Amino acid sequence: MARGKAKRTAKAKAKKTVAKRKAKPIELYYWPTPNGFKISIMLEECGLPYTLIPVNISKGEQFKPDFLKISPNNRMPAIVDPDGPGGRPISIFESGAILQYLGRKTGKFYPKDERQRVEVEQWLFWQMGGVGPMAGQVHHFKNYAVETLTYAINRYINEVNRLYGVMNLRLKDREFIAGKYSIADMALVGWVNGWERQGQDIDEFPYLKRWLDTMKARSAVKRGMALGLELRQGIDMKDPKVQAVLFGQRARTA
Ligand SMILES: N[C@@H](CCC(=O)N[C@@H](CS)C(=O)NCC(=O)O)C(=O)O
């Protein structure tokens, strides 16, 4: 085959492959909560095609054997990327790991430069180990627990207050938590947006408030945080059936 023609054929083939790749949506195992929003926001920001697979955690769908194969910790979010490394499917659980994967895959919102990457990772892990779990405990003891445990409520409200203070100071002289907009901001926004339910007053934290407004004005963030909200309508977290599924879980042996 003539060289020019061979080149053109190779180019056309490559184009076809790209088109094929684009056509394979990422499967998003999801329920509309702050942890779920992290991934819907990232997918929206990157313009990646995805299919929504609801995991109704109030009904125990997180314990379905097929889901546990993807997410052995019986928690959403999780993803399956049919076009993973080497062109083979990959499944990922843990929202932080998913954000990093999507950041590496797309080259977006997760800088390659080591210093900038470390900045992002510090704040991403700070969210994963701090803001998420602590705000989650406030939600539990303040809003869901059938017993009122003042000590527990105050302990977690205070810890979230401390964390918001850290974030507020950090944002005093930078627009986003790691400087430039990144996956760390996406990990935080769904949680900070719940400040009222967490017994906080956002006016105490002017820089954090400014950041939250900036975040919520982004159209991908709006779309990400609106995804599937209708699914959880009418679910009462104090319903004993829901509480039996979600609270008091203990080790499973199989
Ligand atoms: N560290 C996990 C936490 C995920 C998580 O806690 N997900 C909750 C909803 S926000 C869940 O799936 N709960 C189901 C259950 O408690 O059984 C992550 O960031 O992905």
Side-chain angles (χ1 to χ4, degrees):
M1 201 186 297
R3 229 173 137 194
K5 199 176 174 195
K7 245 186 175 176
R8 277 197 301 278
T9 317
K11 256 191 177 172
K13 259 192 184 166
K15 251 191 182 170
K16 233 183 169 180
T17 316
V18 170
K20 235 186 178 176
R21 276 204 192 129
K22 271 189 186 156
K24 274 191 193 167
I26 288 176
E27 292 163 16
L28 171 63
Y29 290 81
Y30 171 91
W31 196 243
T33 74
N35 285 322
F37 297 151
K38 296 174 188 175
I39 312 305
S40 50
I41 292 171
M42 180 63 171
L43 291 167
E44 289 289 340
E45 289 284 12
C46 295
L48 285 168
Y50 63 94
T51 312
L52 171 63
I53 304 174
V55 181
N56 187 338
I57 59 172
S58 68
K59 283 201 176 145
E61 289 178 2
Q62 67 274 38
F63 294 106
K64 283 188 175 170
D66 280 351
F67 181 67
L68 289 174
K69 278 186 201 150
I70 296 167
S71 181
N73 191 38
N74 68 264
R75 299 280 190 272
M76 72 85 227
I79 63 164
V80 175
D81 181 1
D83 189 21
R88 284 177 292 113
I90 187 169
S91 71
I92 312 170
F93 70 100
E94 276 297 320
S95 56
I98 301 170
L99 287 173
Q100 289 177 306
Y101 171 76
L102 293 175
R104 287 190 301 267
K105 179 183 170 83
T106 59
K108 289 180 180 170
F109 310 112
Y110 189 30
K112 278 207 179 85
D113 172 81
E114 183 62 10
R115 281 181 191 278
Q116 287 177 31
R117 180 159 282 199
V118 167
E119 285 287 286
V120 170
E121 286 174 342
Q122 291 179 112
W123 291 98
L124 176 65
F125 281 74
W126 179 79
Q127 186 291 317
M128 295 297 300
V131 174
M134 295 303 120
Q137 295 301 332
V138 179
H139 289 179
H140 180 82
F141 286 110
K142 186 172 167 294
N143 307 316
Y144 307 149
V146 277
E147 240 179 285
T148 304
L149 296 170
T150 311
Y151 181 86
I153 295 172
N154 289 341
R155 171 171 163 74
Y156 293 114
I157 286 183
N158 287 342
E159 181 58 3
V160 170
N161 188 270
R162 186 188 71 78
L163 291 163
Y164 279 10
V166 171
M167 207 177 157
N168 188 53
L169 289 180
R170 172 78 185 170
L171 290 164
K172 186 174 176 177
D173 53 5
R174 45 178 75 66
E175 192 175 9
F176 296 104
I177 197 78
K180 275 195 191 150
Y181 183 50
S182 74
I183 53 174
D185 299 285
M186 299 179 205
L188 281 158
V189 64
W191 286 102
V192 177
N193 194 39
W195 57 268
E196 216 168 346
R197 295 178 68 220
Q198 295 155 20
Q200 309 298 325
D201 175 3
I202 197 74
D203 290 325
E204 259 183 50
F205 308 105
Y207 310 115
L208 181 60
K209 188 179 179 189
R210 185 213 64 224
W211 168 88
L212 183 60
D213 290 343
T214 305
M215 290 295 292
K216 286 171 70 179
R218 294 182 70 93
S219 54
V221 171
K222 280 185 195 158
R223 288 195 301 278
M225 296 212 311
L227 184 73
L229 285 184
E230 69 287 351
L231 294 168
R232 64 168 203 223
Q233 256 174 27
I235 294 173
D236 176 6
M237 293 295 285
K238 287 201 167 171
D239 178 341
K241 274 194 217 136
V242 173
Q243 295 223 336
V245 172
L246 285 174
F247 308 138
Q249 295 175 4
R250 287 173 60 87
R252 293 158 62 88
T253 48

